Amino acid sequence: MQFVLAAGGTGGHMIPAYALAAELRSRGHGVLLITDERGKRYPGLFEGMPVEVLQAGRITKNPINLLKGVASILAGRRAARALYRRGRPDAVIGFGGYPAFPALLAAASMDIPTVLHEQNAVLGRVNRLLAGGASAIATAYERIERLKPAHQGKCVLVGNPVREAVVRLGEQPFPPFDEFSPLKILITGGSQGATVLGRVVPRGFAALEPSLRHRLQIVQQCRPDDIELVREAYRQLGIPAELTTYIEDMPAKLGDAHLVIGRAGASTIAELTAAGRPAILIPLPIATDDHQTANAREMARAGGARMIPQGQFRPDTLARQIEALAADPEALSNAAARALSVGRPRAAQDLADLVERIANKQAPLIVGPAASPASVRLAPAGAAA
């Protein structure tokens, strides 16, 4: 079969799209990505796969920008329709973000089945606009906020697809750690980095007991404007640190880490729970609908993460959290196991199963508001949903 994957250009959209593309291609299907210029340039993903860039504006409250956004979306829709006429896909799968909007609108106008994947615990704006016409909504969490009751029957809980290299980490033992071992910490602010992490984290390490501070080994992603200041802070503290603006091989760095400090973006949570890595999470306070706080709740409730609101994210608070985790050698491994307990490492396979069923135009799915793929049943052909 032939599938079109439509995704905005940030890592939160691109990584699950890539994981699904890899799974579909392993099954012998063809895959085309529709994205924006950012997505086309995203490093390490979709190499060797066909990629199309379409116009896609944003819908805002500003009247002038609204008109420009609508015109751009309609132009992208026309281009997508022309693309589909040249090679009609069996289904179009959207991963959110405005760059996915025209591709999904075009599919709906041509009666091509669509599946929406929602990575966050709050249904995103584009997915809210398109939910009514979708054949199915694949979710990463059991509870999804901003989802209309009328659309709950379309939901299938699959999880958030991650790269196979991350899934394999969850099948391996947690890195050995005792009172004498180096404490390896990975700090990441998502695909765009986070200035607050560069400002607070080194000062938090400075507030640690010296015996623990001297055991630190750090890998930290920084914003380009912050990296030299962070480098100097670690130099003064005498803490060995590898700093970068983008982590090319995230699975390798995640595999080495005993603890992760970072934002609570959808892909970050999915990778932490698939790999089984404990975390201290600082949700982005300006995220749309505060979705990062919602993303972090499941992992925090399971005991796999400690969540600190950004307003309370101070050096002393961070230091006490790290000391509590490092004081007992079993605390980190227990937290890792609890993180793993809420992971969904089969998300790529389960999402691929779902889109194959939709593309095959099988009978309607009968599902509950938070059904897992195993609980999905098919109605007899011709039966009402």
Side-chain angles (χ1 to χ4, degrees), residues 16-288:
Y18 167 77
L20 176 63
E23 177 64 24
L24 291 172
R25 292 185 71 181
S26 75
R27 301 182 183 195
H29 303 310
V31 175
L32 167 70
L33 172 70
I34 290 178
T35 185
D36 58 6
E37 287 292 344
R38 293 177 305 167
K40 185 178 180 180
R41 295 192 302 267
Y42 202 91
L45 301 182
F46 290 96
E47 293 175 0
M49 296 188 201
V51 177
E52 289 282 343
V53 173
L54 300 183
Q55 289 191 55
R58 297 179 63 86
I59 297 176
T60 69
K61 293 181 180 180
N62 181 295
I64 296 176
N65 290 338
L66 174 63
L67 290 174
K68 290 180 179 178
V70 170
S72 184
I73 289 168
L74 292 176
R77 177 179 173 272
R78 287 193 297 272
R81 283 175 58 89
L83 187 66
Y84 299 161
R85 282 193 290 268
R86 294 198 297 270
R88 184 181 176 92
D90 294 280
V92 177
I93 302 94
F95 287 85
Y98 277 102
F101 202 15
L104 291 159
L105 286 175
S109 72
M110 298 173 70
D111 292 324
I112 297 169
T114 60
V115 176
L116 306 179
H117 183 267
E118 180 53 63
Q119 301 92 49
N120 294 298
V122 180
L123 197 67
R125 189 171 300 165
V126 167
N127 284 348
R128 290 201 297 270
L129 291 170
L130 296 168
S135 300
I137 303 170
T139 68
Y141 294 90
E142 290 188 7
R143 179 185 173 190
I144 303 295
E145 300 174 20
R146 302 297 297 272
L147 174 69
K148 291 182 179 180
H151 301 151
Q152 288 183 345
K154 298 181 179 185
C155 289
V156 181
L157 176 63
V158 300
N160 193 9
V162 298
R163 290 164 283 192
E164 183 61 29
V166 174
V167 173
R168 288 197 294 270
L169 295 176
E171 301 166 354
Q172 301 168 9
F174 186 69
F177 179 74
D178 58 32
E179 61 269 28
F180 305 108
S181 303
L183 176 59
K184 299 180 180 181
I185 301 180
L186 171 64
I187 301 106
T188 175
S191 60
Q192 304 300 313
T195 293
V196 68
L197 297 181
R199 187 174 68 248
V200 174
V201 171
R203 293 162 55 203
F205 292 158
L208 292 172
E209 292 291 333
S211 60
L212 179 57
R213 185 172 68 246
H214 295 154
R215 294 161 53 198
L216 296 179
Q217 292 183 5
I218 306 303
V219 174
Q220 182 162 349
Q221 175 209 14
C222 304
R223 294 180 66 88
D225 294 344
D226 303 331
I227 192 166
E228 292 307 321
L229 291 174
V230 177
R231 194 186 310 280
E232 177 60 19
Y234 284 128
R235 189 193 66 79
Q236 291 184 13
L237 290 169
I239 296 175
E242 177 186 338
L243 305 183
T244 180
T245 58
Y246 178 75
I247 298 176
E248 294 254 354
D249 193 349
M250 179 60 81
K253 301 304 183 187
L254 194 58
D256 285 340
H258 295 108
L259 176 66
V260 177
I261 301 171
R263 291 299 197 191
S267 288
T268 297
I269 299 294
E271 290 181 342
L272 290 170
T273 56
R277 289 298 182 272
I280 296 173
L281 300 172
I282 305 91
L284 177 67
I286 60 170
T288 305

